[in-house]
């Protein structure tokens, strides 16, 4: 066999393999959409796979989705088979293998098989993160482990999730600091707001204005200031960019040193993911830019979502459709809402 013929066979095989993958992906990627106040699931060819029979639905994660009908919630797989019966008033997203759920006047935690792993009681709680979940008792927050054992006592006015062993907590209104899992204070209680640990950084505000926003900046896990506290709001670093809010209607991008880039201000801006970011130039003119600040999808949509598996939801004339990363409409504008928007 000649070398050229061998290359042709290999190339032909690769093309076939890619084609099979694209067909499989188009048929098996499901998007939850709403029409006439009912939720169902379509594939990327706009074929209805799961009928419009639910009052609420989430996107599929690892083959499972939370859905509700007739005021009760359960979990289905992508064949619309019930995996967890519709016995709950609400089921929140699965995290660390467990989901917070409510039933009657009680709440607890279930696993993906529907087993009630942490018994239901009159406690209220949050989803698990970093293998701990925040729960509240008598107006004070603490943390439990996945066996339901209280590992950080109920003493905080408010809490946020643990990430990488660190969690912001509040000991009084507008007095936030950061603790580790042994309750050692890592950042003192000197801030009016601290967000969850993300990409090695905290976004925090020294002061919060009554109208929202304040004197906000970025610090590392030791509390060292990375970006000065001079913005209305700011998000941690994503893809080597910060997004910072200068005032309620002006967002800018900063490089990793805190210097403004692109020489543009946006009505709304979002973090970069895989080289693209959502932006709006007015309240109803939104599109996407690349990491050079160039418009790659025209700002002509009323609203949009981030890309998920190469697909983004976009709104025109108060209806939702879907585009690919080239801006091509792949599903027409016929839906009232979609779970890709959050």
């Amino acid at each position: 066999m000649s070398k050229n013929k061998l290359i042709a066979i290999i190339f032909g095989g690769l093309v076939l393999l890619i084609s099979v993958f694209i067909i499989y992906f188009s048929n098996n990627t499901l998007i939850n959409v709403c029409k006439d106040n009912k939720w169902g699931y379509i594939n990327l060819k706009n074929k209805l796979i799961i009928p419009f029979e639910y009052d609420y639905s989430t996107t599929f994660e690892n083959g499972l989705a939370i859905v509700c009908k007739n005021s009760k919630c359960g979990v289905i797989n992508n064949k619309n088979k019930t995996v967890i019966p519709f016995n709950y008033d609400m089921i929140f997203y699965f995290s660390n293998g467990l989901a917070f759920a409510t039933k009657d006047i009680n709440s607890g935690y279930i696993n993906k098989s529907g087993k009630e792993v942490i018994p239901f009681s009159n406690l209220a709680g949050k989803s698990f993160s970093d293998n701990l979940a925040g729960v509240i008792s008598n107006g004070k927050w603490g943390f439990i482990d996945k066996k339901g054992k209280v590992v950080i006592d109920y003493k905080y006015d408010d809490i946020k999730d643990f990430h990488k062993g660190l969690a912001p907590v509040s000991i009084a209104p507008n007095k936030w600091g950061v603790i580790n899992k042994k309750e050692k204070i890592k950042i003192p209680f000197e801030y009016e707001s601290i967000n969850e640990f993300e990409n090695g950084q905290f976004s925090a505000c020294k002061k919060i204005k009554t109208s929202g926003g304040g004197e906000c900046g970025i610090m590392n896990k030791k509390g060292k200031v990375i970006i000065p506290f001079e913005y209305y709001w700011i998000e941690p670093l994503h893809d080597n960019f910060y997004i910072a809010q200068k005032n309620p209607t002006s967002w800018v991008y900063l490089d990793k040193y805190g210097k403004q880039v692109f020489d543009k201000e946006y009505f709304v801006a979002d973090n970069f993911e895989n080289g693209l970011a959502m932006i709006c130039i007015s309240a109803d003119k939104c599109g996407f830019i690349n990491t050079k600040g160039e418009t790659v999808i025209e700002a002509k949509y009323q609203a949009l979502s981030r890309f998920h598996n190469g697909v983004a939801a976009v709104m025109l004339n108060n209806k939702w459709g879907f585009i690919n990363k080239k801006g091509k409409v792949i599903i027409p504008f016929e839906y009232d809402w979609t779970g890709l928007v959050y």
Side-chain angles (χ1 to χ4, degrees):
M1 182 182 298
S2 70
K3 182 179 179 180
N4 289 340
K5 187 174 182 180
L6 179 61
I7 291 173
I9 292 173
I10 293 173
F11 179 76
L14 286 172
V15 170
L16 178 61
L17 183 63
I18 292 170
S19 299
V20 170
F21 174 78
I22 291 172
I23 293 170
Y24 176 85
F25 182 77
S26 298
N27 289 333
N28 289 275
T29 297
L30 299 184
I31 303 171
N32 57 328
V33 289
C34 180
K35 184 179 281 190
D36 299 325
N37 294 318
K38 289 294 182 181
W39 287 84
Y41 292 83
I42 59 173
N43 65 15
L44 295 184
K45 294 182 177 180
N46 201 26
K47 180 181 178 181
L48 185 64
I49 304 299
I50 295 176
F52 291 98
E53 61 182 274
Y54 297 108
D55 301 317
Y56 168 83
S57 72
T58 68
T59 56
F60 275 96
E61 296 289 341
N62 298 314
L64 298 177
I66 299 164
V67 292
C68 304
K69 62 181 177 181
N70 302 322
S71 300
K72 290 294 181 180
C73 301
V75 175
I76 60 171
N77 63 19
N78 55 14
K79 303 293 184 184
N80 203 22
K81 180 180 178 181
T82 300
V83 177
I84 296 177
F86 290 75
N87 295 333
Y88 300 95
D89 298 322
M90 180 55 73
I91 303 173
F92 295 83
Y93 65 90
F94 282 94
S95 179
N96 296 163
L98 299 178
F100 180 73
T102 61
K103 182 169 60 176
D104 300 325
I105 61 172
N106 295 318
S107 56
Y109 293 84
I110 61 176
N111 64 18
K112 291 182 179 181
S113 299
K115 181 180 178 181
E116 295 180 0
V117 177
I118 296 177
F120 280 59
S121 67
N122 61 357
L123 293 179
K126 299 186 177 187
S127 298
F128 272 88
S129 177
D130 213 359
N131 292 313
L132 295 181
V135 289
I136 189 171
S137 177
N138 297 319
K140 294 292 184 179
W141 287 90
F143 289 88
I144 60 172
D145 63 18
K146 293 173 76 172
K147 294 182 179 180
K149 179 183 176 182
V150 177
V151 293
I152 294 178
D153 203 10
Y154 306 105
K155 63 176 70 172
Y156 298 105
D157 283 4
D158 202 354
I159 60 169
K160 295 181 181 176
D161 291 342
F162 270 97
H163 292 279
K164 303 288 186 180
L166 299 172
V169 294
S170 173
I171 56 172
N174 297 326
K175 289 294 181 183
W176 285 85
V178 174
I179 61 171
N180 65 15
K181 290 185 177 181
K182 295 182 179 180
E183 277 197 273
K184 183 178 179 181
I185 297 172
K186 306 301 289 184
I187 294 177
F189 293 87
E190 298 175 351
Y191 301 89
E192 293 196 3
S193 174
I194 302 178
N195 263 24
E196 293 158 4
F197 194 56
E198 186 178 2
N199 296 330
Q201 300 176 340
F202 290 102
S203 56
C205 301
K206 287 185 175 180
K207 290 185 179 180
I208 297 290
K209 299 177 181 178
T210 55
S211 58
E215 297 174 9
C216 305
I218 298 290
M219 55 188 177
N220 67 15
K221 64 182 181 181
K222 295 182 179 180
K224 180 181 178 181
V225 176
I226 299 172
I227 303 294
F229 289 79
E230 59 188 25
Y231 291 98
Y232 193 82
W233 181 247
I234 187 169
E235 293 281 339
L237 196 69
H238 279 261
D239 282 6
N240 292 315
F241 291 94
Y242 295 99
I243 51 170
Q245 194 175 14
K246 298 173 71 174
N247 61 57
T249 59
S250 176
W251 288 83
V252 296
Y253 287 90
L254 312 178
D255 65 19
K256 61 183 179 180
Y257 304 107
K259 181 180 178 181
Q260 184 176 336
V261 294
F262 306 155
D263 194 28
K264 294 179 183 177
E265 296 185 7
Y266 300 96
F267 186 80
V268 174
D270 191 34
N271 290 309
F272 278 98
E273 285 192 357
N274 300 315
L276 294 178
M278 300 186 295
I279 55 91
C280 298
I281 58 176
S282 66
D284 59 356
K285 297 292 183 183
C286 304
F288 288 88
I289 61 171
N290 62 20
T291 55
K292 295 180 180 180
E294 300 167 335
T295 299
V296 292
I297 295 176
E298 183 185 352
K300 63 180 180 180
Y301 298 105
Q302 291 171 269
L304 37 71
S305 77
R306 293 176 179 177
F307 278 94
H308 300 262
N309 296 321
V311 178
V314 290
M315 179 192 274
L316 270 182
N317 300 319
N318 299 318
K319 289 292 184 180
W320 288 92
F322 299 86
I323 61 173
N324 62 20
K325 287 190 174 182
K326 294 182 178 180
K328 180 182 178 181
V329 176
I330 58 172
I331 295 175
F333 298 89
E334 59 184 81
Y335 298 103
D336 300 327
W337 197 250
T338 169
L340 290 193
V341 181
Y342 57 90

